[in-house]
Amino acid sequence: MIYYVNAAAERDGDGSRERPFKWINDAAKKALPGDEVVVAPGVYREYVCPVHAGEEENRITYRSEVKGGARITGAEKLQGWTRVRGGMWTARVKNSLFGEWNPFREMVGGDWYFAPMVRHTGAVFINDLMMYETVTAEECEKAEPDPCAWRPEESTWKWYTEQDGEDTVLYANFHDLNPNEENVEITVRRNVFMPAENGIGYITVSGFLMDKAATTWAPPAAYQDGLMGPHWSRGWIIEDCEICNSRCCGISLGKYRDPENDMYFFTKHVKSPTQMERDAVCRGQYHGWLKEKVGGHLIRRCHVHHCGQTGIVGRMGAVFSTIEDCHIHDVSNTAQLGGAETAGIKLHAAIDVTIRRNHIHDCIEGVWLDWEAQGARVSQNLFHHNMRPEGVPQAPGAMFSTDVFIEVGHGPTLIDNNVMLSNVSVTIPSEGIAVVHNLMLGGFSLINSGVDSIVNGQREPRYTPYHIRHRTEVAGFMTILHGDDRIYNNILVQHYPVKDPSKGPDSHEHDRVGTAPFDIFPSYEEWIANFELDKPNPNMGALGTYHFGHLPVWVGGNAYLNGATVSKHEHSGFRTEEKAEVRLEEKDGRWILKTNVYGLLKDFRAGIITSDLLGKAFEPEQRFENPDGTAITFDRDYAGNHRGTETLPGPFAEGKEETAVW
């Protein structure tokens, strides 16, 4: 059955073509497996809460009749502003407008929130610009730029709020604009399109513009809400949507709701935050964390931007999902919020998750896969400007910046065929990582670092889980030994100047490009020789030195330019003293990579990389392979072109001076 929705209908109807519903949520209450909800262009100021699940072969589909024509928003227009003086205006809103959830009373905060200034979940917008909150009316009136904001000129648009009896009082500095003549909106609803219950699966959401939600901070051991998302379910398709201006998170693929493990550290303090995360993983099985019940989502061709915390977030609920062909930008770069859960894409337990062919830029971090990125693959993406602009300091409580961050995982995790143009390319306080066929203008960071803490004078290891191959069931726990990495067929260019040579690869700000940081690890031959495999009864106690020592690494086929460092393990690389140049240009909506690198490589070629060559990640004993267990041959490049019998290093099968990359 098809239900029709049209906000411009003369009066509410029954969902037929002749008498459409005026509200999408009315259709959401009725739609059953196999039904489609077709939404006419218009503005829908509502929270859509699907109550019925579809079926794997009988989905429920919500479709905007015109792509981008139907806007679902968590905001309301606010007029009736009164000038205080200069650019400062004020308005009052009855608290009854918000119901039980007043975002101008609720605060952003919780586990892993580090910013010294705690903000409200609400926000004020002027002509679709999310204005910057202040903690005093005086600060609002001064309207000084925030030195930590990536776009300081935007940060001069300020707002402030306080409560007065039954009213929410808002102040805002609109500079020379009259807010009663502009589009001024405030967030009223916490979510825009998201089930309230677990298990509402197999839903397709297609072609909508969704914006402006008063979302909450979404750390991993908490209920993670977003502007939209599937909650804790299986098999959603989110396609051709624009998701923007969420106070915290855009799309949530996140965690089950568990009152006994919700913001545990923030509310009780008595368990360490990493122990709380281990609890969340183990409790997941009780809450249905199985391949047959959770994950398997597809997010494709979406435009996700201007979100305060993450563009796409997910703890455990994103397993077996694919995020592809999306444009993600301007995430957590306002310096308004700060903490350890900020990135264009931030996933915990990205088991068999594929992130491919996306354009990710101007985010505090591009992709951050935290804990259990087992079987994850980050491939064919364009990363750039995921770094603070020149002269902008790191905000108090804010994270550092990088294109790809893989944290405390045991692998196997693949990073292949990407164009990575920020000043830090790959951050890996992890093990079991394969970095293959990338163009990297930045360095490796947090090598042999960023995992354990020294507490009470002793080392406190951060034990993290690994899983049954291609499943969610936990197979074991182990701290990170570091190493077990494969670095093959990359182009490594020292593009940015080395600002601080004292910062080594154990720093998150290491800006020296190259593979020399892997010299601290043994080769496979050096490592395996310690285990006395020829002896039937080795000394178990003596082998403990090696059971808790570094794992081996493999390095080969890389090209080193502009002084990029070369590992002692490199066995078949290329190096030149000639000057390499790389730049990215935007023209008419297309992004063009221009470089002389391939002329410098001349006739250098590398071998074809395969799953057999990469082998198995040590701890889970799982191959670097496809989610279905089949082998990978890296014979396709960034654009899907065939490489042939031998190949250039880097992400392209053919070396051109100009290549369209988006």
Side-chain angles (χ1 to χ4, degrees), residues 14 41 85 190 219 251 259 280 292 311 324 331 333 347 413 428 446 452 500 528 530 536 574 595 611 623 633:
D14 57 10
R85 56 185 165 271
R190 180 173 174 175
I251 300 173
E292 293 76 18
E324 63 184 15
V331 175
N333 59 10
L347 304 178
T413 306
I428 46 173
L446 289 183
D452 299 338
D500 187 352
I528 197 65
N530 296 308
F574 172 88
T595 182
S611 290
R623 282 201 313 172
T633 299

Side-chain angles (χ1 to χ4, degrees), residues 216-219 247-249 307-311 313 331-332 337 341-343:
T216 60
W217 186 250
R247 183 56 154 165
C248 289
C249 300
C307 298
Q309 179 187 337
T310 58
V313 74
V331 175
S332 194
L337 309 179
E341 309 302 325
T342 51

Side-chain angles (χ1 to χ4, degrees), residues 3 29 57 90 114 123 125 132 153 156 186 190 197 219 229 234 242 263 282-283 382 385 463 481 544 588 626 631:
Y3 292 102
K29 293 176 182 177
E57 303 299 329
T90 187
F114 302 147
F125 299 83
Y132 284 60
E153 69 283 357
T156 63
I186 61 170
R190 180 173 174 175
E197 302 297 328
R234 181 160 179 80
E242 181 175 1
M263 299 284 193
C282 293
R283 293 175 67 86
L382 171 60
H385 291 97
Y463 286 92
L481 301 177
D588 300 327
N626 289 308

Side-chain angles (χ1 to χ4, degrees), residues 390-403:
E390 187 68 27
V392 174
Q394 185 172 345
M399 288 299 296
F400 55 83
S401 293
T402 182
D403 280 333

